[in-house]
């Protein structure tokens, strides 16, 4: 008999099916045994009555949590069950019966314990829908760029230079030469964009950030795009279209996963229905101060400031034209106000913080040399990057979307650590 996945069971009502999976939970009620089985695509309840073969009934009684098994039975419509079906079980064949109890029970555990057991925690109820949503978000990003003719070009992870300031670099020994783990693939995308016009990549980036917050990882994934002949305004329009596409596609394709997480897709769709809000850095500072959060003009936004903005607008908001002094060397200055950068951060609604950072890039060599110098960076390791301004320099812009923060917002997850299979945080490199 061909096996069927739990997510497809509603198409097999009335038929006999074979399921392959793991025992998630079981309970008994009088002469009936209920086995909750998961297979990665969902959870289904198997019902074993006393009419079943006594060995099947005994297995339903004795198999421990996370025993792997094959189960045969007839699919029945059950409107109250998740997925709308349950299975009347006729056969159970154990595949592996654990000799010791599974460390993670169905009761609450502390975060430290769960993180120590992350390799097993991912089997638990909330985790599968989050990881399926992660997959959906990544595909939605790829489909967006593909539909618009962007070419995926990968940036290296081992690099010789910093992009986002030297304080968060991970130093490495590259056969005797200094090297780092990449903080962002941007500089390389600027090179490939001059070759291919419109490019993007999705890859892991690294920041040795000493911050232990619910929005920071040490290793995270960024979706970055770069487009030749794109100016600041065009850059914001592209970002807005991407975020709207990702939210709409994920809400449509993962409605069951969102429901399992008790995340209302209508809240997400409402947030992206209207054009995103747009304020300047200085307007944003005034709004933050008016909301009673302490900050001075010239400071970067901390989490409380971002939350105040998020609350004020109730939908994604671009904060644009930051003081150039608090932004990286590669950002083009606003010709009208040269102390400001032609950049924007996109702040997600509901307090999920900054999900995108982007800017128009410096396109003149002298200007770039001056800004490298102002940032205290030697031009030498950036020679190849300076070359891009020597031959056919064009106005160009791009951005980086934080994949995990976007998943956090879409799935409504309080802490970023649950949005990636194996989070790397300040105090954790294991498992
Ligand atoms: O704003 P960032 O630092 O921008 C860049 O790195 C640019 N070079 C991107 C570009 O223009 N191509 O990072 C981009 C996004 C942030 O908006 C945030 O969503 C996410 O990456 N991010 C983090 N996510 C998780 N943990 C961290 N430590 C993060 N740091 C940034
Ligand atoms: Mg940023």
């Amino acid at each position: 008999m061909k096996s069927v996945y739990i997510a497809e069971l509603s198409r097999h009502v009335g038929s006999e099916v074979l399921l392959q999976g793991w025992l998630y939970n079981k309970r008994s009620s009088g002469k009936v045994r209920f086995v909750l089985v998961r297979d990665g695509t969902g959870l289904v309840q198997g019902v074993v009555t006393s009419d079943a073969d006594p060995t099947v009934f005994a297995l339903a009684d004795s198999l421990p949590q996370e025993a792997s098994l094959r189960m045969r039975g007839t699919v029945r419509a059950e409107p109250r069950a998740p997925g709308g079906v349950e299975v009347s079980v006729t056969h159970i064949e154990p595949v592996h019966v654990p000799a010791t109890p599974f460390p993670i029970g169905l009761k609450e555990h502390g975060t430290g314990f769960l993180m120590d057991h992350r390799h097993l925690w991912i089997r638990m109820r909330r985790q599968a829908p989050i990881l399926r949503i992660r997959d959906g978000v990544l595909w939605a990003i790829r489909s967006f760029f593909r539909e618009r003719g962007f070419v995926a070009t990968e940036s290296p992870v081992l690099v010789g230079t910093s992009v986002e300031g030297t304080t968060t670099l991970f130093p490495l020994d590259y056969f005797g030469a200094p090297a780092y783990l990449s903080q962002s693939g941007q500089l390389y995308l600027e090179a490939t964009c001059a070759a291919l016009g419109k490019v993007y990549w999705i890859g892991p980036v690294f920041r040795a950030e000493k911050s232990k917050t619910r929005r920071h990882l040490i290793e995270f994934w960024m979706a970055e795009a770069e487009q030749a002949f794109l100016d600041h305004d065009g850059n914001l329009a592209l970002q807005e279209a991407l975020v709207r596409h990702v939210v709409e596609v994920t809400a449509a394709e993962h409605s069951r996963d969102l429901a399992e997480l008790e995340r209302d897709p209508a809240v997400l769709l409402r947030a992206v229905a209207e054009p995103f809000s747009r304020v300047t850095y200085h307007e944003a500072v005034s709004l933050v101060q008016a909301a009673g959060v302490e900050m001075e003009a010239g400071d970067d936004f901390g989490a409380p400031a971002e939350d105040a903005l998020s609350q004020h607008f109730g939908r994604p908001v671009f904060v644009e034209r930051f003081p150039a002094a608090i932004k990286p060397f590669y950002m083009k200055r606003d010709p009208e106000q040269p102390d400001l950068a032609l950049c924007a951060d996109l702040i997600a609604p509901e307090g999920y913080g900054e999900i995108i950072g982007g800017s128009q890039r410096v396109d003149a060599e002298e200007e770039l040399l001056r800004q490298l110098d102002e940032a205290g960076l030697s031009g030498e390791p950036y020679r190849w990057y300076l070359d891009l301004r020597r031959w056919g320099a064009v106005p160009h812009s791009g951005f980086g979307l934080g994949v995990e923060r976007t998943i956090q917002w879409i799935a409504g997850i309080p802490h970023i650590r649950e949005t990636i299979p194996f989070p790397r945080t300040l105090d954790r490199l294991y498992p």
Side-chain angles (χ1 to χ4, degrees):
M1 187 181 290
K2 217 176 132 240
S3 65
V4 170
Y5 283 105
I6 291 169
E8 296 157 9
L9 281 179
S10 58
R11 285 193 255 129
H12 296 265
V13 172
S15 312
E16 202 188 6
V17 295
L18 169 67
L19 294 176
Q20 310 190 92
W22 296 262
L23 182 71
Y24 191 76
N25 193 13
K26 61 184 185 197
R27 63 190 174 86
S28 65
S29 168
K31 286 189 178 150
V32 186
R33 300 291 176 266
F34 298 96
V35 287
L36 198 58
V37 171
R38 60 170 193 89
D39 72 350
T41 72
L43 274 166
V44 72
Q45 177 163 273
V47 183
V48 188
T49 60
S50 48
D51 307 338
D53 187 293
T55 58
V56 176
F57 198 83
L59 280 168
D61 255 340
S62 67
L63 283 178
Q65 187 188 349
E66 287 306 308
S68 47
L69 52 85
R70 294 194 181 87
M71 183 169 99
R72 255 202 290 162
T74 306
V75 185
R76 303 212 179 286
E78 173 46 73
R80 287 164 301 174
V85 291
E86 62 180 25
V87 174
S88 299
V89 181
T90 51
H91 296 84
I92 293 177
E93 177 202 335
V95 174
H96 175 249
V97 181
T100 49
F102 191 64
I104 306 176
L106 300 169
K107 295 177 290 289
E108 295 264 311
H109 289 282
T111 304
F113 178 86
L114 289 171
M115 288 285 275
D116 285 342
H117 294 85
R118 182 64 181 163
H119 53 299
L120 302 175
W121 181 24
I122 48 180
R123 301 184 190 191
M124 303 306 289
R125 202 157 196 171
R126 276 169 54 84
Q127 302 302 313
I130 298 173
L131 295 180
R132 283 193 293 261
I133 288 170
R134 179 184 174 93
D135 174 56
V137 165
L138 288 165
W139 276 105
I141 296 169
R142 292 198 168 97
S143 67
F144 174 86
F145 285 123
R146 187 129 225 254
E147 280 161 21
R148 277 164 187 73
F150 280 72
V151 180
T153 61
E154 282 68 34
S155 294
V157 164
L158 291 169
V159 295
T161 50
S162 84
V163 198
E164 299 296 319
T166 50
T167 53
T168 62
L169 281 174
F170 264 107
L172 295 168
D173 171 17
Y174 199 74
F175 309 107
Y180 313 98
L181 292 175
S182 177
Q183 301 165 303
S184 153
Q186 177 194 324
L187 305 190
Y188 295 93
L189 287 180
E190 288 185 55
T192 54
C193 115
L196 295 152
K198 297 190 272 190
V199 295
Y200 78 102
W201 89 306
I202 307 175
V205 291
F206 305 84
R207 305 265 170 104
E209 298 204 66
K210 299 264 155 53
S211 35
K212 216 171 159 180
T213 79
R214 59 191 181 84
R215 292 176 191 167
H216 284 89
L217 291 167
I218 303 298
E219 173 177 337
F220 62 99
W221 283 59
M222 222 195 267
E224 299 186 86
E226 201 71 30
Q227 184 172 339
F229 299 101
L230 185 71
D231 65 7
H232 173 67
D233 285 332
N235 196 20
L236 299 204
L238 181 66
Q239 293 168 41
E240 177 164 344
L242 169 67
V243 170
R244 183 169 293 119
H245 173 88
V246 169
V247 167
E248 288 177 352
V249 168
T250 316
E253 292 181 356
H254 291 269
S255 54
R256 197 191 284 180
D257 291 323
L258 291 167
E260 266 190 70
L261 298 170
E262 290 167 9
R263 179 70 165 147
D264 182 0
V267 171
L268 293 166
L269 294 172
R270 255 199 314 277
V272 300
E274 302 282 324
F276 295 2
S277 304
R278 193 165 158 177
V279 285
T280 66
Y281 168 86
H282 286 290
E283 288 163 348
V285 171
S286 306
L287 286 170
V288 167
Q289 289 169 335
V293 179
E294 239 172 84
M295 85 173 280
E296 309 255 326
D299 291 351
D300 211 342
F301 298 105
E306 285 179 356
D307 293 351
L309 288 172
S310 164
Q311 221 172 18
H312 180 86
F313 290 98
R315 55 179 139 147
V317 52
F318 286 110
V319 180
E320 60 175 334
R321 294 179 157 82
F322 280 64
I326 57 168
K327 285 293 183 185
F329 68 90
Y330 54 71
M331 291 185 179
K332 189 177 175 67
R333 302 292 174 94
D334 182 348
E336 252 112 72
Q337 290 170 278
D339 57 324
L340 303 182
L342 281 180
C343 67
D345 284 0
L346 181 65
I347 314 290
E350 300 175 74
Y352 288 96
E354 177 200 327
I355 52 169
I356 296 184
S359 66
Q360 187 163 340
R361 321 305 192 186
V362 175
D363 42 33
E365 187 183 4
E366 323 77 68
E367 211 173 311
L368 187 54
L369 277 167
R370 195 177 56 243
Q371 292 190 194
L372 277 166
D373 192 54
E374 282 168 11
L377 295 165
S378 144
E380 189 49 33
Y382 296 92
R383 268 234 304 261
W384 68 269
Y385 184 65
L386 285 154
D387 274 354
L388 307 177
R389 279 77 186 161
R390 290 191 156 181
W391 291 286
V394 295
H396 65 289
S397 303
F399 62 89
L401 169 128
V403 169
E404 287 75 17
R405 291 211 192 148
T406 304
I407 296 164
Q408 220 190 322
W409 165 42
I410 291 178
I413 305 296
H415 201 293
I416 197 166
R417 64 184 159 232
E418 288 183 57
T419 62
I420 185 164
F422 294 97
R424 294 292 172 252
T425 57
L426 196 52
D427 53 4
R428 192 167 290 274
L429 188 60
Y430 187 88

